[in-house]
Amino acid sequence: MKKEITCIVCPMGCRMTAEICPDGPKVTGNTCRRGVDYAVAELTAPTRTVTSTVRLSGGGSVSVKTREPIAKDKIFDLMRILRTATADAPVRIGDMILSDVFGTDIVATAEAGKEA
Amino acid sequence: MCEKHDIVIIGGGPAGLAAAVAAYDAGVTDVVVIDREEAPGGVLRQCIHNGFGLHKLGRELTGPEYAAVYAKEAARRGIRILRETMVTALSPDRVVTACSREGILKIEAGAVILAMGCRERSRGALNISGTRPAGIFSAGTAQRLINCEGYMVGKKAVILGSGDIGLIMARRMTLEGAKVEAVCELMPYSGGLTRNIVQCLEDFDIPLYLSTTVAEIHGRQRLEGVTLISVDENRRPIPGTERYIGCDTLLLSCGLIPENELSLGAGIPLDGITGGALVDERRETEIPGIFACGNVLQVHDLVDYVSDEAELAGRSAADFVRGISPAGKTLPVFAEKGVRYCLPQRIHAGASAPVELYMRVAQPRERVKIVARSGERILAEVSRRRVAPGEMEKITLKPDALCGAEEICVSLEDL
């Protein structure tokens, strides 16, 4: 399957065409090696860091992120989980809010509650 | 009551915090930061997405995390941050007037650093015709409501303006369950970073309509829809290209305006293009002892560069307090062919460290070089495979290049 991919490795923003062929990946339009790596990752297993917020049980919310990028096609499944999740204040940056979702953890990215 | 402090910093966002830490580390420890919010961090507190800090800290952080790094550094040094305190006036002799719940406060400052940031261009400033229903937000207001206050602003949205905040909000609205019908951009190119076009629009199949604007707003109580219209190369609407999109929310991401009311009150001359103060290479305005940095000086793409600029302003303010002044005459810097603006607008010929000139190009171009000249002499040049107004460029002048230079002109030329 051929795919048009805009490289985001650097500000050049090369418009590449990438295809996985039987004899390996074929990438055109890139101007450096890093573009090939990015295109192959995008074609085979694209991942994204997801950021959102989680409700605090005592009211308000706290911002969170996936500790590691997750598979791109799991983003909306993760959002459904985050919509019902809650955390208890006080929360410090880096605190684990949910463990082991889609192969990573959800951690707080801000302080919330009394100790902030 | 009038307090005295060596350095007063107006604004506790990324610029103010980095400036405070740098001034302290340069040996001036009596530093006070004044911020109107309940906690320092400025706009980063609502920027919960990641991508901050790659250049400066070597890791990818979210906005609140990046702000916390600097807030912690300030706290570790015991730098005082006055929260929920609004500066209402600044005088040219550096008396800062502020008000808080405790009342009115006056501070005589040895040096002042302006770090007030920006505000967003509003619907009124854009002159969009139509009714005045609920459901029209600046993108940053919607961002604050969703990320900090916990209110979802709508279900079906159109975003006008493809600057970074608009792109980020297209993704954020989509993740929170809204349908983003389109992002419209008046210009024939996006004003946002490529990375954001890919990860915020293409990832979610949100269409980006270039050379398109909102011609009319419909709806009485709540927004019901907008009429889009294509524009020609002179940005004039093309009759017959109108199309209607039903939506309950319109987000405006149409540019940031440096918040310089205090600067104007102090009589600080501003640059007509950047909307920020005219500064020298140390980020000193044309009023001695008043410095500026961050988005109140020029709108940056990346907070990393805000921190760099703020550290420079912080060190310069510390120098001023200790009576160290720059050497040599001042050389004016002009933006010419293809360059929209260049900052700083003047440089001291005796500058001992390399001087970085920051600029934005007028339009997207490929295979160009950025050249800084003094008369016929080339002071510095760099080549670029691609430049765009959405990506700030810089060129570095070495101290020996400034020797004997007169006025400096920066232009964009074909390779």
Side-chain angles (χ1 to χ4, degrees), chain A residues 11-116:
Chain A
M12 275 282 293
C14 295
R15 309 236 28 139
M16 308 184 291
T17 307
E19 189 179 6
I20 300 290
C21 303
D23 53 338
K26 214 171 102 183
V27 181
T28 55
N30 62 304
T31 38
C32 78
R33 170 74 219 173
R34 292 182 301 167
V36 177
D37 296 341
Y38 175 75
V40 172
E42 279 297 291
L43 265 186
T44 53
T47 60
R48 298 285 184 269
T49 296
V50 179
T51 63
S52 189
T53 55
V54 162
R55 244 182 230 113
L56 290 170
S57 48
S61 63
V62 65
S63 56
V64 297
K65 69 175 179 184
T66 54
R67 197 192 295 275
E68 303 292 334
I70 64 162
K72 194 177 145 190
D73 59 6
K74 298 291 182 225
I75 292 176
F76 284 97
D77 296 331
L78 174 66
M79 287 305 296
R80 264 189 291 281
I81 294 171
L82 293 182
R83 216 156 285 151
T84 56
T86 57
D88 295 317
V91 176
R92 317 299 304 264
I93 289 179
D95 281 0
M96 197 193 295
I97 305 295
L98 291 172
S99 65
D100 200 22
V101 279
F102 304 112
T104 187
D105 302 322
I106 305 300
V107 294
T109 58
E111 317 268 313
K114 281 262 182 297
E115 324 286 309

Side-chain angles (χ1 to χ4, degrees), chain B residues 5 9 36 61 112 188 210 225 311 337 382:
Chain B
H5 292 289
I9 299 173
R36 63 186 173 194
L61 299 176
V112 171
L210 298 173
E311 287 168 2
K337 285 175 301 187
V382 287

Side-chain angles (χ1 to χ4, degrees), chain B residues 347-360:
Chain B
I347 297 175
H348 288 92
S352 53
V355 175
E356 287 177 332
L357 295 177
Y358 291 85
M359 69 207 71
R360 284 187 192 277

Side-chain angles (χ1 to χ4, degrees), chain B residues 281 329-331 333 344 346-349 355 357 397 402 408:
Chain B
E281 78 283 1
K329 60 175 181 176
T330 55
L331 316 171
V333 179
R346 61 184 197 282
I347 297 175
H348 288 92
V355 175
L357 295 177
L397 303 181
L402 294 172
I408 296 167

Side-chain angles (χ1 to χ4, degrees), chain B residues 22 44 60 112 128 134 175 179 210 217 231 257 264 278 281 296 308 327 334 337 344 373 387 394 399:
Chain B
L44 288 180
E60 201 171 11
V112 171
I128 307 172
L175 287 178
K179 172 94 176 86
L210 298 173
I217 287 167
V231 299
I257 303 164
L264 287 171
L278 297 165
E281 78 283 1
V296 79
D308 281 340
F334 297 103
K337 285 175 301 187
R373 275 196 186 81
V387 293
K394 74 174 177 189

